[in-house]
Amino acid sequence: MNEKSINISDVINLPLDTKEQKKAVDSKTPCVVDGRLKVYNPDEDNVKRLLELLKNKLSRQVVGSMVGCVHCGMCSDACHYALVRPYDPTMTPAYKADQIRHIFKRHFDWTGRLVPWWVHAGTPKDDEDLKRLKNIVFGTCTGCRRCTLNCPMGVDTAILVRLTRGLLTELGIVPEGVFVVSKDSWETGNQMGVTQEDYLETIQWMEEETQAELDDPHFKIPMDKEDCDFMYTINPREVKYDPRSIGNAGKIFYCAGESWTMPSWGWDQTNFGLFSGDDKLGGYIAKNLYEAAKRLRAKRIVISECGHGYRSTRWEGYNWAKYKQDLPSESVVVTLIRYINQGRIKVDPSRNPLPVTYHDSCNIARSGDLTEEPRWILKRVCADFREMYPNRSDNFCCTGGGGALSMVEYKPLRMEVARIKAEQLTATGAKIVCTSCHNCVDGLTDVIKHYKLDIKVAQILDLVADALIIPKKNEKK
Ligand code: SF4
Ligand code: SF4
Protein backbone atom coordinates (compact mmCIF):
# COMPACT_ATOMS: atom_id res chain seq x y z
CA MET A 1 0.00 0.00 0.00
CA ASN A 2 2.88 2.37 -0.55
CA GLU A 3 1.75 5.53 -2.25
CA LYS A 4 3.99 8.00 -4.01
CA SER A 5 4.12 11.08 -1.80
CA ILE A 6 2.68 14.16 -3.40
CA ASN A 7 4.45 17.50 -3.29
CA ILE A 8 2.72 19.49 -0.56
CA SER A 9 3.62 22.87 -2.05
CA ASP A 10 1.44 21.89 -5.05
CA VAL A 11 -1.48 21.69 -2.61
CA ILE A 12 -0.67 24.72 -0.50
CA ASN A 13 -0.21 26.94 -3.54
CA LEU A 14 -3.34 25.90 -5.42
CA PRO A 15 -4.86 29.08 -6.88
CA LEU A 16 -8.32 30.36 -6.05
CA ASP A 17 -10.80 29.23 -8.68
CA THR A 18 -13.73 31.63 -9.04
CA LYS A 19 -15.48 30.21 -12.14
CA GLU A 20 -18.49 29.09 -10.10
CA GLN A 21 -18.58 32.39 -8.24
CA LYS A 22 -18.63 34.26 -11.55
CA LYS A 23 -21.41 32.05 -12.89
CA ALA A 24 -23.49 32.71 -9.78
CA VAL A 25 -22.94 36.47 -10.09
CA ASP A 26 -23.79 36.46 -13.81
CA SER A 27 -26.97 34.46 -13.27
CA LYS A 28 -27.98 36.69 -10.35
CA THR A 29 -28.28 33.82 -7.91
CA PRO A 30 -30.40 35.26 -5.06
CA CYS A 31 -28.13 34.26 -2.15
CA VAL A 32 -25.20 35.95 -3.88
CA VAL A 33 -27.16 39.05 -4.86
CA ASP A 34 -28.48 39.60 -1.33
CA GLY A 35 -25.10 38.88 0.27
CA ARG A 36 -25.87 35.70 2.20
CA LEU A 37 -23.11 34.00 0.23
CA LYS A 38 -19.98 36.04 -0.42
CA VAL A 39 -17.87 36.08 -3.56
CA TYR A 40 -14.21 37.03 -3.67
CA ASN A 41 -13.54 40.69 -4.30
CA PRO A 42 -9.87 41.40 -5.15
CA ASP A 43 -10.47 45.15 -4.77
CA GLU A 44 -11.36 44.84 -1.10
CA ASP A 45 -8.88 44.95 1.76
CA ASN A 46 -9.47 41.30 2.59
CA VAL A 47 -6.76 41.09 5.26
CA LYS A 48 -8.32 44.00 7.18
CA ARG A 49 -11.75 42.40 6.83
CA LEU A 50 -10.42 39.05 8.10
CA LEU A 51 -9.09 40.75 11.22
CA GLU A 52 -12.43 42.46 11.88
CA LEU A 53 -14.28 39.17 11.48
CA LEU A 54 -11.84 37.35 13.74
CA LYS A 55 -12.36 39.91 16.49
CA ASN A 56 -16.07 39.06 16.54
CA LYS A 57 -15.44 35.32 16.79
CA LEU A 58 -13.32 35.26 19.92
CA SER A 59 -15.33 33.15 22.33
CA ARG A 60 -13.85 31.63 25.47
CA GLN A 61 -13.63 28.24 23.70
CA VAL A 62 -11.73 29.73 20.76
CA VAL A 63 -9.32 31.78 22.89
CA GLY A 64 -8.62 28.71 25.06
CA SER A 65 -7.45 26.81 22.00
CA MET A 66 -5.54 29.84 20.67
CA VAL A 67 -3.45 30.28 23.81
CA GLY A 68 -3.36 26.73 25.17
CA CYS A 69 -0.92 25.10 22.76
CA VAL A 70 2.54 24.42 24.22
CA HIS A 71 3.80 22.81 21.00
CA CYS A 72 4.51 19.50 22.64
CA GLY A 73 3.74 17.66 19.38
CA MET A 74 1.56 14.96 20.90
CA CYS A 75 -1.29 15.70 18.51
CA SER A 76 0.94 14.64 15.59
CA ASP A 77 0.60 11.03 16.73
CA ALA A 78 -3.16 11.32 16.27
CA CYS A 79 -3.54 12.92 12.85
CA HIS A 80 -3.77 10.66 9.81
CA TYR A 81 -2.10 13.34 7.67
CA ALA A 82 0.88 13.57 10.03
CA LEU A 83 1.13 9.79 10.49
CA VAL A 84 1.27 9.09 6.76
CA ARG A 85 3.65 12.01 6.11
CA PRO A 86 5.86 12.01 9.25
CA TYR A 87 8.62 13.95 7.49
CA ASP A 88 6.29 16.85 6.67
CA PRO A 89 5.87 19.44 9.48
CA THR A 90 3.00 21.14 7.64
CA MET A 91 0.82 18.10 8.32
CA THR A 92 0.90 18.39 12.11
CA PRO A 93 -2.27 19.67 13.76
CA ALA A 94 -0.29 22.34 15.62
CA TYR A 95 1.06 23.74 12.34
CA LYS A 96 -2.44 23.94 10.86
CA ALA A 97 -3.83 25.73 13.92
CA ASP A 98 -0.77 27.97 14.11
CA GLN A 99 -1.80 29.61 10.84
CA ILE A 100 -4.65 31.40 12.62
CA ARG A 101 -2.96 31.35 16.03
CA HIS A 102 -0.13 33.56 14.72
CA ILE A 103 -2.65 36.12 13.49
CA PHE A 104 -4.54 36.01 16.78
CA LYS A 105 -1.32 36.51 18.74
CA ARG A 106 -0.24 39.49 16.64
CA HIS A 107 -3.51 41.35 17.06
CA PHE A 108 -5.36 40.09 20.12
CA ASP A 109 -2.85 38.66 22.58
CA TRP A 110 -0.36 40.61 24.69
CA THR A 111 2.45 38.14 23.99
CA GLY A 112 2.29 38.88 20.28
CA ARG A 113 2.32 42.63 20.89
CA LEU A 114 5.31 42.52 23.24
CA VAL A 115 7.43 39.71 21.83
CA PRO A 116 6.06 38.88 18.38
CA TRP A 117 9.26 37.09 17.31
CA TRP A 118 9.06 34.85 20.39
CA VAL A 119 5.51 33.62 19.74
CA HIS A 120 5.75 33.76 15.94
CA ALA A 121 3.03 36.39 15.76
CA GLY A 122 2.30 37.63 12.26
CA THR A 123 -0.26 39.03 9.84
CA PRO A 124 -1.07 37.84 6.32
CA LYS A 125 0.53 40.29 3.90
CA ASP A 126 -1.97 40.06 1.11
CA ASP A 127 -4.59 37.94 -0.64
CA GLU A 128 -1.92 35.46 -1.75
CA ASP A 129 -1.31 34.64 1.91
CA LEU A 130 -5.06 34.25 2.44
CA LYS A 131 -5.27 31.82 -0.49
CA ARG A 132 -2.47 29.80 1.02
CA LEU A 133 -4.36 29.83 4.33
CA LYS A 134 -7.43 28.57 2.45
CA ASN A 135 -5.51 25.57 1.11
CA ILE A 136 -4.19 24.65 4.55
CA VAL A 137 -7.48 24.82 6.45
CA PHE A 138 -9.66 23.30 3.73
CA GLY A 139 -7.14 20.96 2.14
CA THR A 140 -5.13 19.42 4.97
CA CYS A 141 -7.66 18.75 7.73
CA THR A 142 -10.89 16.76 7.78
CA GLY A 143 -11.99 18.22 11.11
CA CYS A 144 -12.02 14.76 12.63
CA ARG A 145 -10.96 15.95 16.13
CA ARG A 146 -8.74 12.93 16.75
CA CYS A 147 -5.95 15.37 17.68
CA THR A 148 -8.22 17.03 20.23
CA LEU A 149 -8.43 13.81 22.20
CA ASN A 150 -4.63 13.55 22.21
CA CYS A 151 -3.94 17.08 23.41
CA PRO A 152 -2.97 17.34 27.09
CA MET A 153 -3.86 21.05 27.03
CA GLY A 154 -7.39 20.55 25.72
CA VAL A 155 -6.67 22.40 22.48
CA ASP A 156 -9.35 21.79 19.85
CA THR A 157 -7.54 22.24 16.54
CA ALA A 158 -10.67 21.41 14.56
CA ILE A 159 -12.46 24.37 16.17
CA LEU A 160 -9.69 26.70 15.01
CA VAL A 161 -9.72 25.17 11.54
CA ARG A 162 -13.49 25.61 11.35
CA LEU A 163 -13.23 29.18 12.62
CA THR A 164 -10.66 30.02 9.93
CA ARG A 165 -12.78 28.39 7.25
CA GLY A 166 -15.71 30.55 8.37
CA LEU A 167 -13.64 33.75 8.12
CA LEU A 168 -12.49 32.84 4.61
CA THR A 169 -16.04 31.91 3.58
CA GLU A 170 -17.03 35.46 4.52
CA LEU A 171 -14.40 36.69 2.03
CA GLY A 172 -15.33 34.27 -0.75
CA ILE A 173 -11.85 32.69 -0.48
CA VAL A 174 -13.03 29.09 -0.59
CA PRO A 175 -12.60 25.98 -2.75
CA GLU A 176 -15.05 25.81 -5.66
CA GLY A 177 -16.86 22.83 -4.11
CA VAL A 178 -17.47 24.71 -0.88
CA PHE A 179 -18.94 27.63 -2.79
CA VAL A 180 -21.21 25.36 -4.87
CA VAL A 181 -22.53 23.33 -1.93
CA SER A 182 -23.11 26.50 0.11
CA LYS A 183 -25.00 28.04 -2.81
CA ASP A 184 -27.14 24.92 -3.22
CA SER A 185 -27.88 24.89 0.51
CA TRP A 186 -29.02 28.51 0.51
CA GLU A 187 -31.04 28.15 -2.68
CA THR A 188 -32.79 24.83 -2.10
CA GLY A 189 -32.61 24.27 1.67
CA ASN A 190 -30.49 21.15 1.21
CA GLN A 191 -26.83 20.68 0.47
CA MET A 192 -27.20 18.61 -2.71
CA GLY A 193 -29.53 20.98 -4.50
CA VAL A 194 -32.36 18.42 -4.59
CA THR A 195 -35.50 20.09 -5.90
CA GLN A 196 -38.74 19.87 -3.98
CA GLU A 197 -40.23 17.95 -6.91
CA ASP A 198 -37.42 15.35 -6.91
CA TYR A 199 -37.69 14.91 -3.15
CA LEU A 200 -41.44 14.28 -3.23
CA GLU A 201 -41.21 12.04 -6.31
CA THR A 202 -38.49 9.93 -4.70
CA ILE A 203 -40.55 9.49 -1.54
CA GLN A 204 -43.53 8.44 -3.67
CA TRP A 205 -41.34 5.99 -5.61
CA MET A 206 -39.97 4.46 -2.40
CA GLU A 207 -43.50 4.20 -1.03
CA GLU A 208 -44.56 2.17 -4.06
CA GLU A 209 -41.46 -0.06 -3.93
CA THR A 210 -42.00 -0.76 -0.24
CA GLN A 211 -45.70 -1.50 -0.76
CA ALA A 212 -44.67 -4.19 -3.24
CA GLU A 213 -42.00 -5.57 -0.92
CA LEU A 214 -44.36 -5.70 2.03
CA ASP A 215 -47.24 -6.85 -0.13
CA ASP A 216 -49.36 -4.17 1.46
CA PRO A 217 -50.90 -1.43 -0.71
CA HIS A 218 -51.78 0.51 2.44
CA PHE A 219 -48.15 1.13 3.41
CA LYS A 220 -47.47 4.88 3.43
CA ILE A 221 -44.54 7.17 3.92
CA PRO A 222 -46.59 9.75 5.79
CA MET A 223 -45.84 13.28 4.65
CA ASP A 224 -46.56 16.30 6.84
CA LYS A 225 -48.66 14.27 9.24
CA GLU A 226 -49.26 16.09 12.51
CA ASP A 227 -48.91 14.83 16.12
CA CYS A 228 -46.74 11.80 15.32
CA ASP A 229 -44.26 10.22 17.71
CA PHE A 230 -41.41 11.42 15.55
CA MET A 231 -40.42 13.36 12.47
CA TYR A 232 -37.85 11.48 10.39
CA THR A 233 -35.20 13.60 8.69
CA ILE A 234 -32.72 12.44 6.08
CA ASN A 235 -29.53 13.20 4.21
CA PRO A 236 -30.13 14.52 0.65
CA ARG A 237 -27.68 11.86 -0.53
CA GLU A 238 -30.47 9.36 0.22
CA VAL A 239 -32.73 11.08 -2.30
CA LYS A 240 -30.03 11.53 -4.90
CA TYR A 241 -27.96 8.34 -4.66
CA ASP A 242 -29.40 5.88 -2.15
CA PRO A 243 -33.21 6.05 -2.01
CA ARG A 244 -33.42 2.45 -0.83
CA SER A 245 -32.34 3.68 2.63
CA ILE A 246 -35.60 5.69 2.79
CA GLY A 247 -37.58 2.58 1.81
CA ASN A 248 -35.65 0.50 4.35
CA ALA A 249 -36.45 2.97 7.12
CA GLY A 250 -40.12 2.97 6.13
CA LYS A 251 -40.19 -0.83 6.09
CA ILE A 252 -38.73 -1.05 9.61
CA PHE A 253 -41.03 1.66 11.01
CA TYR A 254 -43.99 -0.17 9.46
CA CYS A 255 -43.02 -3.48 11.09
CA ALA A 256 -42.55 -1.70 14.43
CA GLY A 257 -46.03 -0.16 14.14
CA GLU A 258 -44.54 3.33 14.44
CA SER A 259 -46.36 6.64 14.28
CA TRP A 260 -44.02 8.79 12.18
CA THR A 261 -43.86 11.38 9.46
CA MET A 262 -41.49 13.17 7.10
CA PRO A 263 -41.70 16.90 6.42
CA SER A 264 -42.13 18.23 2.89
CA TRP A 265 -39.83 21.17 3.81
CA GLY A 266 -37.02 21.29 6.38
CA TRP A 267 -36.08 17.64 5.81
CA ASP A 268 -32.28 17.96 5.39
CA GLN A 269 -30.62 16.91 8.62
CA THR A 270 -27.13 17.46 7.19
CA ASN A 271 -25.57 20.87 7.47
CA PHE A 272 -22.73 22.18 5.35
CA GLY A 273 -22.32 25.11 7.74
CA LEU A 274 -20.48 22.74 10.09
CA PHE A 275 -17.85 22.13 7.42
CA SER A 276 -17.57 25.60 5.89
CA GLY A 277 -17.59 27.34 9.26
CA ASP A 278 -20.54 29.47 8.13
CA ASP A 279 -22.73 29.80 11.22
CA LYS A 280 -25.38 31.76 9.31
CA LEU A 281 -25.85 28.95 6.80
CA GLY A 282 -25.74 26.40 9.61
CA GLY A 283 -28.45 28.28 11.49
CA TYR A 284 -30.65 28.61 8.41
CA ILE A 285 -30.61 24.88 7.62
CA ALA A 286 -31.05 23.82 11.25
CA LYS A 287 -33.89 26.25 11.83
CA ASN A 288 -35.78 24.92 8.80
CA LEU A 289 -35.70 21.49 10.40
CA TYR A 290 -36.62 22.58 13.94
CA GLU A 291 -39.48 24.68 12.60
CA ALA A 292 -40.77 21.72 10.57
CA ALA A 293 -40.90 19.54 13.69
CA LYS A 294 -42.66 22.31 15.58
CA ARG A 295 -45.15 22.87 12.77
CA LEU A 296 -46.00 19.16 12.69
CA ARG A 297 -46.11 18.96 16.51
CA ALA A 298 -43.80 15.94 16.41
CA LYS A 299 -42.76 14.62 19.81
CA ARG A 300 -39.20 13.88 18.67
CA ILE A 301 -36.81 14.31 15.78
CA VAL A 302 -35.21 11.11 14.49
CA ILE A 303 -32.05 11.65 12.47
CA SER A 304 -31.11 9.15 9.76
CA GLU A 305 -27.56 7.85 9.59
CA CYS A 306 -25.21 10.79 9.11
CA GLY A 307 -22.35 11.85 11.36
CA HIS A 308 -22.20 15.56 10.78
CA GLY A 309 -25.99 15.73 10.46
CA TYR A 310 -26.33 14.11 13.86
CA ARG A 311 -23.86 16.54 15.43
CA SER A 312 -25.40 19.58 13.73
CA THR A 313 -29.04 18.73 14.36
CA ARG A 314 -28.63 17.48 17.89
CA TRP A 315 -26.22 20.08 19.28
CA GLU A 316 -24.63 22.71 17.11
CA GLY A 317 -27.65 23.82 15.07
CA TYR A 318 -29.47 25.28 18.05
CA ASN A 319 -26.54 27.59 18.77
CA TRP A 320 -26.08 28.68 15.17
CA ALA A 321 -29.79 29.33 14.77
CA LYS A 322 -30.10 30.82 18.28
CA TYR A 323 -33.10 28.58 18.61
CA LYS A 324 -34.65 27.47 21.87
CA GLN A 325 -34.07 23.74 22.28
CA ASP A 326 -37.28 22.13 23.45
CA LEU A 327 -37.62 18.97 21.36
CA PRO A 328 -35.65 15.78 21.94
CA SER A 329 -33.74 14.28 19.03
CA GLU A 330 -32.03 10.94 18.52
CA SER A 331 -30.15 8.94 15.92
CA VAL A 332 -32.21 6.31 14.14
CA VAL A 333 -29.74 3.81 15.63
CA VAL A 334 -31.24 4.50 19.07
CA THR A 335 -34.73 4.08 17.63
CA LEU A 336 -33.73 0.70 16.18
CA ILE A 337 -32.38 -0.48 19.54
CA ARG A 338 -35.72 0.37 21.13
CA TYR A 339 -37.57 -1.70 18.53
CA ILE A 340 -35.35 -4.75 18.99
CA ASN A 341 -35.33 -4.44 22.79
CA GLN A 342 -39.09 -4.11 22.99
CA GLY A 343 -39.65 -6.96 20.55
CA ARG A 344 -41.34 -4.60 18.10
CA ILE A 345 -39.20 -6.00 15.29
CA LYS A 346 -37.60 -9.42 14.89
CA VAL A 347 -34.26 -9.93 13.19
CA ASP A 348 -32.38 -12.94 11.94
CA PRO A 349 -28.57 -12.55 11.90
CA SER A 350 -28.10 -15.53 9.57
CA ARG A 351 -29.40 -13.31 6.77
CA ASN A 352 -26.17 -11.29 7.01
CA PRO A 353 -23.62 -14.14 6.91
CA LEU A 354 -20.54 -12.27 5.60
CA PRO A 355 -17.96 -10.93 8.05
CA VAL A 356 -18.84 -7.35 8.99
CA THR A 357 -16.70 -4.70 10.65
CA TYR A 358 -17.74 -1.28 11.90
CA HIS A 359 -16.25 2.10 11.05
CA ASP A 360 -16.96 4.72 13.73
CA SER A 361 -17.86 8.02 12.11
CA CYS A 362 -15.88 10.83 13.80
CA ASN A 363 -18.99 12.90 14.42
CA ILE A 364 -21.02 9.95 15.70
CA ALA A 365 -18.36 8.44 17.99
CA ARG A 366 -15.73 11.06 18.89
CA SER A 367 -18.03 14.08 18.82
CA GLY A 368 -21.32 12.28 19.42
CA ASP A 369 -20.50 9.56 21.97
CA LEU A 370 -22.52 6.89 20.15
CA THR A 371 -20.07 4.00 20.31
CA GLU A 372 -21.78 1.01 21.91
CA GLU A 373 -25.19 1.40 20.29
CA PRO A 374 -24.11 0.52 16.73
CA ARG A 375 -22.23 -2.54 18.02
CA TRP A 376 -25.21 -3.65 20.07
CA ILE A 377 -27.26 -3.77 16.89
CA LEU A 378 -24.61 -5.29 14.64
CA LYS A 379 -24.07 -8.19 17.04
CA ARG A 380 -27.77 -8.97 16.68
CA VAL A 381 -28.20 -8.58 12.94
CA CYS A 382 -24.91 -10.03 11.62
CA ALA A 383 -23.55 -13.54 12.04
CA ASP A 384 -19.87 -12.51 12.09
CA PHE A 385 -19.07 -9.10 13.58
CA ARG A 386 -15.41 -8.11 13.86
CA GLU A 387 -13.87 -5.07 15.48
CA MET A 388 -11.60 -2.73 13.61
CA TYR A 389 -8.61 -1.35 15.55
CA PRO A 390 -8.31 1.34 16.78
CA ASN A 391 -11.99 1.95 17.24
CA ARG A 392 -14.72 3.96 18.97
CA SER A 393 -13.54 7.51 19.78
CA ASP A 394 -10.01 6.51 18.76
CA ASN A 395 -10.97 5.49 15.24
CA PHE A 396 -9.44 7.12 12.17
CA CYS A 397 -11.50 9.34 9.86
CA CYS A 398 -12.83 7.82 6.63
CA THR A 399 -10.90 10.75 5.07
CA GLY A 400 -14.13 12.21 3.72
CA GLY A 401 -14.89 14.33 6.81
CA GLY A 402 -15.03 18.10 7.01
CA GLY A 403 -16.66 18.43 3.59
CA ALA A 404 -13.57 16.91 1.94
CA LEU A 405 -15.68 15.05 -0.61
CA SER A 406 -16.76 18.32 -2.17
CA MET A 407 -13.19 19.60 -2.58
CA VAL A 408 -11.86 17.54 -5.46
CA GLU A 409 -8.62 19.51 -5.79
CA TYR A 410 -7.37 17.99 -2.54
CA LYS A 411 -8.29 14.40 -3.38
CA PRO A 412 -4.74 13.19 -4.25
CA LEU A 413 -3.52 14.17 -0.77
CA ARG A 414 -6.65 12.72 0.81
CA MET A 415 -6.06 9.39 -0.92
CA GLU A 416 -2.43 9.34 0.13
CA VAL A 417 -3.34 9.74 3.81
CA ALA A 418 -6.21 7.25 3.39
CA ARG A 419 -3.56 4.54 3.56
CA ILE A 420 -4.18 4.33 7.30
CA LYS A 421 -7.87 3.63 6.77
CA ALA A 422 -7.13 1.10 4.03
CA GLU A 423 -4.74 -0.79 6.33
CA GLN A 424 -7.30 -0.74 9.15
CA LEU A 425 -9.97 -2.14 6.87
CA THR A 426 -7.73 -4.85 5.42
CA ALA A 427 -6.62 -6.07 8.84
CA THR A 428 -10.20 -6.96 9.82
CA GLY A 429 -10.61 -9.50 7.00
CA ALA A 430 -14.23 -8.30 6.77
CA LYS A 431 -16.16 -8.33 3.50
CA ILE A 432 -18.51 -5.56 4.59
CA VAL A 433 -17.63 -2.37 6.41
CA CYS A 434 -20.66 -0.94 8.10
CA THR A 435 -20.89 2.68 9.14
CA SER A 436 -23.62 4.92 10.49
CA CYS A 437 -22.93 7.86 8.20
CA HIS A 438 -23.78 8.58 4.58
CA ASN A 439 -20.71 10.82 4.30
CA CYS A 440 -18.49 7.98 5.54
CA VAL A 441 -20.09 5.67 2.96
CA ASP A 442 -18.67 7.90 0.23
CA GLY A 443 -15.37 8.44 2.03
CA LEU A 444 -14.87 4.70 2.52
CA THR A 445 -15.93 3.96 -1.05
CA ASP A 446 -13.17 6.28 -2.28
CA VAL A 447 -10.62 4.48 -0.06
CA ILE A 448 -11.79 1.03 -1.20
CA LYS A 449 -11.64 1.99 -4.88
CA HIS A 450 -8.28 3.70 -4.60
CA TYR A 451 -6.61 0.85 -2.69
CA LYS A 452 -8.54 -1.89 -4.61
CA LEU A 453 -9.91 -3.58 -1.49
CA ASP A 454 -12.33 -6.49 -1.65
CA ILE A 455 -14.89 -5.00 0.71
CA LYS A 456 -18.30 -3.38 0.41
CA VAL A 457 -19.86 -0.56 2.41
CA ALA A 458 -23.22 -0.77 4.18
CA GLN A 459 -25.11 1.12 6.83
CA ILE A 460 -26.73 -0.17 10.01
CA LEU A 461 -30.22 0.51 8.73
CA ASP A 462 -29.53 -1.55 5.59
CA LEU A 463 -28.25 -4.52 7.58
CA VAL A 464 -31.23 -4.34 9.95
CA ALA A 465 -33.57 -4.22 6.94
CA ASP A 466 -31.82 -7.25 5.44
CA ALA A 467 -32.15 -9.17 8.71
CA LEU A 468 -35.74 -8.07 9.30
CA ILE A 469 -38.35 -10.80 9.62
CA ILE A 470 -41.46 -9.33 8.04
CA PRO A 471 -44.52 -10.65 9.84
CA LYS A 472 -47.08 -12.47 7.71
CA LYS A 473 -50.27 -10.48 7.17
CA ASN A 474 -52.31 -12.45 9.72
CA GLU A 475 -49.48 -12.03 12.31
CA LYS A 476 -49.63 -8.21 12.27
CA LYS A 477 -51.00 -6.48 15.34
S1 SF4 B 1 -0.96 18.23 21.60
FE1 SF4 B 1 -2.01 20.16 22.10
S2 SF4 B 1 -0.44 21.39 23.13
FE2 SF4 B 1 0.64 19.72 22.11
S3 SF4 B 1 1.19 20.59 20.06
FE3 SF4 B 1 -0.77 19.56 19.80
S4 SF4 B 1 -2.32 21.18 20.11
FE4 SF4 B 1 -0.38 21.94 20.96
S1 SF4 C 1 -8.88 17.44 13.18
FE1 SF4 C 1 -8.20 15.44 12.35
S2 SF4 C 1 -7.39 15.91 10.30
FE2 SF4 C 1 -7.55 17.87 11.43
S3 SF4 C 1 -5.54 18.17 12.31
FE3 SF4 C 1 -6.78 17.13 13.87
S4 SF4 C 1 -6.39 14.92 13.56
FE4 SF4 C 1 -5.67 16.01 11.73
Side-chain angles (χ1 to χ4, degrees), residues 227-260:
D227 300 309
C228 289
D229 278 353
F230 66 72
M231 181 182 90
Y232 189 57
T233 60
I234 59 170
N235 182 320
R237 181 185 177 277
E238 299 181 62
V239 181
K240 216 159 173 172
Y241 302 114
D242 191 11
R244 89 205 145 109
S245 65
I246 304 169
N248 280 342
K251 187 166 76 172
I252 297 168
F253 299 159
Y254 166 92
C255 290
E258 189 56 84
S259 139
W260 66 294

Side-chain angles (χ1 to χ4, degrees), residues 313-450:
T313 303
R314 199 158 146 79
W315 292 292
E316 314 268 6
Y318 292 102
N319 297 325
W320 299 327
K322 299 184 175 44
Y323 197 89
K324 189 174 172 298
Q325 145 81 303
D326 54 6
L327 205 61
S329 56
E330 68 186 24
S331 160
V332 70
V333 170
V334 173
T335 316
L336 295 174
I337 290 181
R338 197 178 305 123
Y339 293 162
I340 297 174
N341 243 337
Q342 295 175 349
R344 287 168 71 178
I345 60 170
K346 300 257 182 299
V347 285
D348 174 3
S350 70
R351 295 186 185 178
N352 288 314
L354 292 176
V356 174
T357 191
Y358 181 66
H359 160 81
D360 290 275
S361 143
C362 301
N363 282 314
I364 294 274
R366 201 155 28 248
S367 295
D369 202 28
L370 273 186
T371 54
E372 304 317 308
E373 293 83 348
R375 291 170 170 81
W376 189 96
I377 296 181
L378 290 177
K379 285 173 187 166
R380 283 160 180 81
V381 301
C382 304
D384 180 356
F385 172 71
R386 304 168 177 197
E387 276 295 356
M388 186 187 317
Y389 296 96
N391 56 45
R392 296 175 167 85
S393 57
D394 206 24
N395 193 28
F396 283 103
C397 177
C398 68
T399 74
L405 295 162
S406 65
M407 306 174 218
V408 286
E409 59 271 56
Y410 307 126
K411 191 171 176 187
L413 175 63
R414 188 160 71 80
M415 287 301 99
E416 183 186 330
V417 303
R419 197 192 76 214
I420 290 214
K421 193 81 243 173
E423 287 170 354
Q424 258 193 304
L425 290 168
T426 307
T428 65
K431 292 292 172 204
I432 294 174
V433 53
C434 180
T435 184
S436 194
C437 173
H438 276 276
N439 199 65
C440 293
V441 170
D442 286 337
L444 292 168
T445 303
D446 278 351
V447 179
I448 289 166
K449 265 197 208 146
H450 186 84

Side-chain angles (χ1 to χ4, degrees), residues 299-314:
K299 297 186 185 72
R300 258 177 310 145
I301 297 167
V302 171
I303 306 158
S304 76
E305 293 186 272
C306 174
H308 89 278
Y310 179 65
R311 178 171 161 195
S312 303
T313 303
R314 199 158 146 79

Side-chain angles (χ1 to χ4, degrees), residues 69-75 94 150-153 155:
C69 179
V70 293
H71 292 92
C72 65
M74 284 176 70
C75 50
N150 245 33
C151 176
M153 303 303 291
V155 171

Side-chain angles (χ1 to χ4, degrees), residues 10 50 132 168 224 264 275 295 370 475:
D10 291 347
L50 180 110
R132 188 174 164 276
L168 294 168
D224 289 329
S264 56
F275 296 153
R295 187 175 68 243
L370 273 186
E475 287 173 8

Side-chain angles (χ1 to χ4, degrees), residues 79-81 93 96 141-147 157-158:
C79 178
H80 47 297
Y81 286 87
K96 297 168 202 174
C141 173
T142 57
C144 73
R145 299 186 73 234
R146 196 166 190 268
C147 54
T157 292

